[in-house]
Amino acid sequence: MAGLPLLPELVRQLFSRPATNAFPSRHLPPSITGFLAKVARGEATIHPPIPTPPKFRGKIVYDREACIGCSLCLRVCPAHAIEFIPETKRVRIYVTQCIFCSQCNDVCPKNALHMSHEFLLATEDRYAESQIVE
Amino acid sequence: MIETLPALLAGAVLVAAFSIIIGLLLMGFDRIVAARMQARIGPPLTQPFTDIRKLLAKENVVPENAIPWLFNLAPIIALASAITILFYLPIGGFAPVLSGGGDLILVMYLLTLPALALVAGGFASGSPYATVGAQREMVTMIAYEFPLAIVVVAIAWRLAAAGISLPFSLATIEANPVWGLVGPLGAIGLLILLIVLLIVTPAELSRVPFDTPEAETELAGGILVEYSGKNLALFSLTQGVKTVAMASLVVALFFPYRLAAIAGISGFAGAVIDLLVYIVLITLVAFISVSVIRVAMARFRINQVVSVYWIYLAIAGLAGLLLVMVDQIMGVV
Amino acid sequence: MSAEKAKKTVPYTVPIGPVHPALKEPVMFTFGMEGEIVRTVDFAPGQTHRGIEWMGMRRNPVQIVHLTDRICGICGIVHSLSFARAVEQIAEIEVPERADYIRTILHELERIQSHLLWAGVAAHELGFDSLFYLAWRVREQSMDLIENLTGNRVNYGIVQIGGVRRDISDEQRALVEKGLDYYQGLLDQMATLFLKDSTILMRCRGHGILSGDDARLLCTVGPTARASGLNMDVRQDYPYCAYGDLDVKAILPPPETGGPQGDVYDRIIVRLLEVGQSIGIIRQCLGQLPAGEILWEPKMAKLLSVLKKAEGEGIGRVEAPRGECMHYVKMAGKEAPDSWKVKASSYSNLMSWIPMLQGEQLADIPIIVASIDPCLSCTDRVAVTRNGQSDILTKEDLTRLSREKTRRMMQ
């Protein structure tokens, strides 16, 4: 249509599938736990999550056994999220401070640090068990 | 005309409830359709009901430098006047609650009332955004009244030219569908007038591209910027009822047919069929003049709104009127 | 003109900001209005100062490079690239050729996503939400590519001093080529949607005009300057990374569309054409991608010790999607730099708002403000808070403070 070039596209979209990534359930269920229980019983289906990219940098994983306590990671961490514990000669990583640059992964001589694909990390407690890796 | 007072009251309450429910459903429908056109999923159909329920539960904040009585009165007047319009318009197969009590000219005046209440509320808010929004709303109102009047006058004139008495009465318009009176030339003229009326509708409802009074990105909600809680809920309801009223006006003027009567179905079944046809028709009108127009365009500037209505639509309307007139004269000759 | 002064000469003032739906980032405008017409314009940036340079001066360059990722949410690579180039100058590090090409590819992918993001924002400012959704949906493809190449959508973490941290595999190369084909096919459609739409034409043609002379006087950069007819582009004038091997010419509004008029419409044209240009650049880069290392020094400990010894000053300049972005770094043989100054591209463009906005309508403010694609979180640098009172330091204030200090030291 002259002057409104978007109109044909809009009419086409009216009859095609929405481009939005679907939420796990179509609409907000009355009870989320109830919905999840239903999913577990196989009574309801859940939209699968969008996969993370191959090199995704999520929550940090720490191999305590491989670590030699050289504390090189402390020197390169931009967010000061890593703490060195002198008694055990190991490090402690605060996920709430981490900025997921994975620089510590690159610097580690023993490959003791990795980034996982886990990204649902929000909590209300900065020092919750899930927020501290050691 | 309904004779007894209790029946009148019952009718009024029914129409009010009906218009609010259908108005909110139309808003929900508009949101789904607009979302789908934009390749989104959109909210459920009942979302406007949820929104209203939430707004009613919220605190009503009156700004410090507002005029409280006017600020609080405006939404009530807006909703009441919007519902009143529907008392004069036929709904489905039912005659208007106050039929005989008023005609098209009254409806036109009533249509300005919710907008005026909005303007009063905007000025009473004491916010620069609302003031600018109120000024724009007034300008928009002046702009779209002219083409609207042309459409109404054209139809009434054609009825009068056919020798029908009381041409402005809605009962007359319903009894004599205007399409049956005109020849091919007049039909083209009527089609132009219908398009004009469909483009006047989004301005009446202040939707994109004529939503300059509210203009989210410029005025942050403009005329409604200070409204919250119950007052905002009332304005939202007004919006829904106004959608029903405008769509009903389009239907009453251009599709005043009672399919049930034509098909020979009477009684309860006939009434249901008429009502369903009416709902489908107003949904169609809302789809074209609210949803499609609003997703396909950018917002106009206020001076562009005026030139669209005063120049382009007025010329189109006058051309339509002229075609109807020529058609009538040729028919007589 | 100050707000008080403006009040006396115009009928009323409209404040916009610091937080307003028309602005995606905080900046405070005061408009002196006469009816719907803007008579006077005043704006106050500095609402979003975060002290990132202060943080940088307490960290070593390898740490800072990841901080620079976070200066801006959109230009993820621009700041880190600019900073890395400044440090590489000081430490005389030669970046491997392959790394330079990968940097260029990501730089251009970022330009595509940034320009599409801007196109969506512009459509939204015009009240054209359908086009906003469409533009952002199309943008997702470039975000997916960036995500695939770097690992994350926004903070890429790809640039390292002396190279890049992740290589491009053959598989990823095919993906990028597929994405480029998608955009190539889409370019004409986007151009039609933005440039042939009569409502957009009505709103943008002849509005927010910045004349070529004004653009030069106000030192504007990037698409804002090019839309006003200034033939300037860091990639063309001072080639960096792989741009020296490539054929990059500054894009000006073509004569077919009425030549450079310096209005909002021209800025749309320039950005859309630059998306096409970026596609060409990435194709060229993929075609002649050299083999080899991607890091000057893969051992971080060694790199850190080299950087610790480095002494001198360096300036990194890159052409960000919004214009020239500059980082100045001074190292003095210490772990942390002695000085680090970030000059984001929007910093040079902000002043052009004043000639653009004067005489325009209130309704045009959002699109004109958005038309220079302001990025304020990148820009805000000097904000002083003392005794609960905050203050923005102007050039005059800084000169005065500097003179006072010199006098004190001479006594």
Side-chain angles (χ1 to χ4, degrees):
Chain A
M1 202 172 150
L4 295 174
L6 190 57
L7 197 57
E9 173 72 14
L10 291 174
V11 174
R12 204 183 56 73
Q13 284 178 2
L14 182 61
F15 299 104
S16 50
R17 280 171 65 86
T20 328
N21 293 345
F23 275 106
S25 73
R26 189 155 178 273
H27 294 302
L28 184 67
S31 148
I32 292 175
T33 44
F35 175 71
L36 290 178
K38 261 189 186 172
V39 172
R41 287 199 302 272
E43 287 166 24
T45 51
I46 200 165
H47 290 288
I50 305 297
T52 48
K55 294 173 183 171
F56 184 73
R57 304 188 299 270
K59 187 181 171 183
I60 198 160
V61 181
Y62 176 43
D63 183 353
R64 214 180 152 78
E65 304 308 312
C67 181
I68 50 168
C70 68
S71 79
L72 261 177
C73 45
L74 268 76
R75 272 191 76 195
V76 296
C77 180
H80 300 320
I82 310 177
E83 186 187 15
F84 185 70
I85 313 284
E87 294 85 56
T88 54
K89 290 214 167 65
R90 293 292 179 267
V91 295
R92 178 184 292 155
I93 303 146
Y94 296 93
V95 179
T96 43
Q97 288 228 80
C98 175
I99 62 170
F100 306 96
C101 65
S102 85
Q103 188 64 55
C104 49
N105 297 195
D106 292 6
V107 83
C108 183
K110 293 287 169 194
N111 275 334
L113 290 162
H114 292 283
M115 299 312 246
S116 69
H117 282 239
E118 194 186 341
F119 59 91
L120 293 171
L121 304 172
T123 58
E124 287 168 346
D125 180 11
R126 271 169 176 269
Y127 302 105
E129 208 176 312
S130 63
Q131 304 297 310
I132 293 173
V133 175
E134 57 182 348
Chain B
M1 178 102 188
I2 302 168
E3 297 300 330
T4 59
L5 191 63
L8 198 67
L9 282 178
V13 169
L14 265 179
V15 168
F18 174 82
S19 61
I20 286 175
I21 292 169
I22 293 290
L24 289 180
L25 283 175
L26 275 185
M27 281 163 85
F29 172 76
D30 163 59
R31 286 175 69 170
I32 292 182
V33 176
R36 283 302 156 90
M37 284 184 157
Q38 295 167 338
R40 293 184 291 124
I41 293 172
L45 187 63
T46 51
Q47 187 63 41
F49 293 91
T50 319
D51 290 350
I52 294 287
R53 206 175 66 211
K54 182 177 158 194
L55 281 177
L56 287 176
K58 291 255 175 185
E59 187 192 3
N60 218 352
V61 180
V62 180
E64 215 167 89
N65 46 357
I67 308 164
W69 65 269
L70 190 55
F71 184 80
N72 288 321
L73 189 65
I76 299 170
I77 293 180
L79 182 58
S81 54
I83 293 174
T84 313
I85 303 168
L86 280 165
F87 292 164
Y88 293 96
L89 292 171
I91 290 173
F94 303 104
V97 176
L98 292 175
S99 66
D103 55 14
L104 262 181
I105 296 180
L106 180 68
V107 168
M108 276 185 60
Y109 275 105
L110 281 176
L111 270 174
T112 60
L113 265 185
L116 280 176
L118 201 57
V119 168
F123 278 127
S125 306
S127 145
Y129 293 142
T131 310
V132 175
Q135 288 166 354
R136 286 182 177 186
E137 175 73 39
M138 283 204 298
V139 173
T140 313
M141 213 158 69
I142 295 164
Y144 68 70
E145 283 301 318
F146 186 40
L148 180 63
I150 292 175
V151 174
V152 169
V153 167
I155 287 171
W157 181 85
R158 187 64 194 83
L159 292 176
I164 298 162
S165 62
L166 291 175
F168 280 104
S169 157
L170 281 149
T172 319
I173 292 169
E174 206 181 339
N176 308 282
V178 72
W179 298 94
L181 298 173
V182 294
L185 210 58
I188 297 172
L190 283 179
L191 208 60
I192 295 174
L193 292 172
L194 172 62
I195 292 170
V196 169
L197 191 55
L198 286 178
I199 302 178
V200 167
T201 308
E204 180 77 57
L205 304 172
S206 68
R207 307 306 289 263
V208 177
F210 307 110
D211 69 334
T212 35
E214 285 167 27
E216 184 229 332
T217 47
E218 300 154 23
L219 297 178
I223 208 159
L224 292 174
V225 70
E226 296 293 347
Y227 276 101
S228 56
K230 276 185 218 53
N231 284 339
L232 187 59
L234 288 179
F235 272 130
S236 304
L237 290 177
T238 310
Q239 179 75 10
V241 175
K242 256 165 79 180
T243 315
V244 178
M246 269 315 279
S248 301
L249 182 65
V250 177
V251 172
L253 286 180
F254 286 96
F255 312 100
Y257 299 101
R258 290 194 179 170
L259 286 186
I262 294 167
I265 306 164
S266 60
F268 182 71
V272 169
I273 288 176
D274 273 339
L275 196 63
L276 287 179
V277 169
Y278 160 80
I279 290 175
V280 169
L281 280 177
I282 60 169
T283 313
L284 200 67
V285 170
F287 171 68
I288 294 171
S289 59
V290 176
S291 310
V292 174
I293 292 181
R294 94 179 165 102
V295 295
M297 280 192 206
R299 182 184 304 119
F300 288 130
R301 256 182 239 119
I302 186 71
N303 60 336
Q304 288 168 341
V305 170
V306 175
S307 55
V308 161
Y309 283 114
W310 279 66
I311 300 172
Y312 300 108
L313 282 186
I315 289 174
L318 287 174
L321 177 62
L322 203 69
L323 282 173
V324 173
M325 285 172 118
V326 169
D327 176 70
Q328 200 270 335
I329 292 162
M330 275 168 48
V332 171
V333 173
Chain C
M1 188 183 283
S2 71
E4 284 70 37
K5 231 172 164 184
K7 249 179 205 154
K8 281 171 201 145
T9 50
V10 291
Y12 69 104
T13 56
V14 170
I16 289 193
V19 178
H20 186 278
L23 310 164
K24 302 296 163 258
E25 284 179 278
V27 56
M28 173 75 204
F29 282 98
T30 313
F31 292 105
M33 305 292 299
E34 196 179 305
E36 288 263 336
I37 308 292
V38 176
R39 288 289 171 225
T40 60
V41 186
D42 185 24
F43 71 92
Q47 319 280 342
T48 175
H49 178 60
R50 296 170 299 167
I52 207 158
E53 288 164 349
W54 186 91
M55 283 164 79
M57 263 122 80
R58 277 141 193 84
R59 282 162 170 80
N60 63 44
V62 172
Q63 290 173 310
I64 299 176
V65 112
H66 299 298
L67 276 187
T68 55
D69 256 2
R70 282 147 182 90
I71 291 179
C72 180
I74 304 163
C75 316
I77 200 162
V78 163
H79 287 283
S80 39
L81 188 54
S82 189
F83 174 80
R85 285 182 47 73
V87 175
E88 283 153 12
Q89 257 175 44
I90 300 169
E92 288 170 355
I93 292 171
E94 201 173 317
V95 179
E97 226 179 322
R98 188 175 173 86
D100 260 345
Y101 272 80
I102 294 175
R103 284 176 173 190
T104 309
I105 290 169
L106 280 159
H107 197 23
E108 293 304 322
L109 272 177
E110 181 171 274
R111 195 180 315 279
I112 293 176
Q113 68 91 354
S114 173
H115 281 348
L116 288 174
L117 174 122
W118 176 83
V121 170
H124 175 69
E125 303 290 12
L126 289 169
F128 202 165
D129 279 355
S130 304
L131 198 50
F132 156 62
Y133 290 122
L134 191 90
W136 279 34
R137 198 175 88 215
V138 166
R139 172 177 176 257
E140 274 311 295
Q141 190 75 24
S142 59
M143 296 302 283
D144 284 351
L145 282 181
I146 291 174
E147 193 180 51
N148 199 289
L149 294 178
T150 69
N152 287 42
R153 253 172 83 93
V154 181
N155 296 312
Y156 314 138
I158 183 102
V159 175
Q160 182 57 278
I161 311 283
V164 289
R165 293 172 63 202
R166 281 150 199 259
D167 204 351
I168 295 183
S169 67
D170 286 343
E171 246 168 70
Q172 286 172 326
R173 205 173 142 152
L175 265 179
V176 175
E177 263 158 15
K178 218 173 105 196
L180 291 182
D181 289 342
Y182 170 78
Y183 279 120
Q184 195 77 55
L186 215 73
L187 267 182
D188 282 344
Q189 199 201 352
M190 289 302 277
T192 317
L193 291 183
F194 274 93
L195 303 178
K196 295 280 185 318
D197 192 289
S198 42
T199 44
I200 293 184
L201 197 67
M202 270 165 86
R203 291 293 306 273
C204 297
R205 199 28 132 187
H207 289 278
I209 292 178
L210 180 71
S211 68
D213 287 337
D214 275 348
R216 193 175 292 114
L217 280 175
L218 294 168
C219 305
T220 51
V221 292
T224 314
R226 291 195 281 275
S228 297
L230 301 192
N231 187 347
M232 56 181 283
D233 189 323
V234 183
R235 296 175 294 169
Q236 165 195 284
D237 304 335
Y238 305 94
Y240 55 95
C241 288
Y243 291 110
D245 306 349
L246 310 168
D247 182 34
V248 183
K249 288 267 172 295
I251 286 194
L252 300 177
E256 304 93 73
T257 58
Q261 299 184 12
D263 55 6
V264 175
Y265 194 72
D266 270 349
R267 279 168 228 140
I268 301 180
I269 295 177
V270 167
R271 291 204 173 87
L272 285 178
L273 291 178
E274 282 189 13
V275 172
Q277 185 191 31
S278 296
I279 296 173
I281 293 174
I282 302 172
R283 272 193 207 286
Q284 229 178 324
C285 282
L286 285 176
Q288 54 198 69
L289 188 66
E293 288 299 310
I294 56 164
L295 273 174
W296 174 74
E297 176 52 71
K299 289 205 176 62
M300 281 298 118
K302 208 170 156 198
L303 179 68
L304 279 172
S305 69
V306 169
L307 292 176
K308 199 174 170 181
K309 283 184 217 119
E311 262 181 81
E313 295 171 298
I315 290 178
R317 301 170 70 182
V318 300
E319 178 75 16
R322 288 154 187 75
E324 183 191 4
C325 165
M326 198 165 83
H327 280 227
Y328 165 81
V329 183
K330 185 178 174 198
M331 307 272 288
K334 277 182 288 184
E335 179 99 17
D338 235 25
S339 176
W340 173 35
K341 176 77 200 136
V342 181
K343 201 219 77 179
S345 28
S346 297
Y347 183 82
S348 311
N349 285 338
L350 292 188
M351 287 311 283
S352 64
W353 271 333
I354 290 175
M356 276 183 206
L357 284 165
Q358 255 156 8
E360 295 292 345
Q361 284 194 19
L362 182 64
D364 295 320
I365 291 171
I367 182 64
I368 293 175
V369 167
S371 74
I372 69 161
D373 202 358
C375 188
L376 293 159
S377 64
C378 305
T379 304
D380 281 342
R381 285 293 162 263
V382 186
V384 176
T385 311
R386 190 178 291 138
N387 306 332
Q389 290 207 317
S390 71
D391 218 349
I392 310 299
L393 295 186
T394 61
K395 189 182 154 220
E396 286 75 31
D397 295 332
L398 289 172
T399 319
R400 184 175 48 77
L401 282 175
S402 147
R403 285 193 186 133
E404 278 170 13
K405 184 164 182 190
T406 319
R407 265 187 221 118
R408 271 205 310 275
M409 286 163 79
M410 282 166 69
Q411 276 166 8

